[in-house]
């Protein structure tokens, strides 16, 4: 290999490395965003579960009563 070929190969490798770094950074940013969304959804789900439990406790217990046709 001559110097020109070696330099061309180095340039190609540098270009590929830069592309990979950009791709990794983009994926990392997407992962950070998804993690934030996941945490927010978990908080909302927890709140919804608490609200549902509170609602159930406020409702009369019809399971213990017999239906009127008995």
């Amino acid at each position: 290999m001559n110097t020109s070929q070696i330099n061309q190969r180095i340039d190609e490798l540098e270009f590929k490395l830069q592309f990979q770094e950009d791709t990794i950074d983009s994926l990392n940013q997407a992962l950070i965003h998804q993690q934030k969304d996941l945490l927010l959804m978990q908080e909302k789900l927890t709140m919804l579960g608490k609200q549902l439990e509170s609602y159930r406790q406020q409702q009369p217990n019809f399971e213990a009563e017999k239906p009127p046709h008995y």
Side-chain angles (χ1 to χ4, degrees), residues 1-35:
M1 264 188 175
N2 63 29
T3 306
S4 176
Q5 290 174 328
I6 292 173
N7 286 337
Q8 182 180 0
R9 183 72 178 139
I10 289 172
D11 289 343
E12 289 173 7
L13 291 172
E14 287 176 344
F15 177 76
K16 288 180 181 182
L17 177 62
Q18 183 61 44
F19 179 76
Q20 288 176 347
E21 287 176 350
D22 291 344
T23 302
I24 289 169
D25 186 51
S26 295
L27 291 171
N28 188 44
Q29 293 301 318
L31 185 61
I32 290 169
H33 182 69
Q34 286 180 344
Q35 183 65 29

Side-chain angles (χ1 to χ4, degrees), residues 4-5 11 13 18 20 23 30-31 33-34 36-37 39 45 47-48 52 55 62-63 67-70:
S4 176
Q5 290 174 328
D11 289 343
L13 291 172
Q18 183 61 44
Q20 288 176 347
T23 302
L31 185 61
H33 182 69
Q34 286 180 344
K36 287 179 183 179
D37 287 346
L39 291 173
L45 184 59
M47 284 185 359
L48 185 59
L52 180 61
Y55 175 76
F62 293 113
E63 294 175 6
H69 60 279
Y70 278 98

Side-chain angles (χ1 to χ4, degrees), residues 43-55:
E43 288 175 13
K44 288 182 178 183
L45 184 59
T46 300
M47 284 185 359
L48 185 59
K50 289 178 182 178
Q51 289 176 350
L52 180 61
E53 186 60 33
S54 174
Y55 175 76

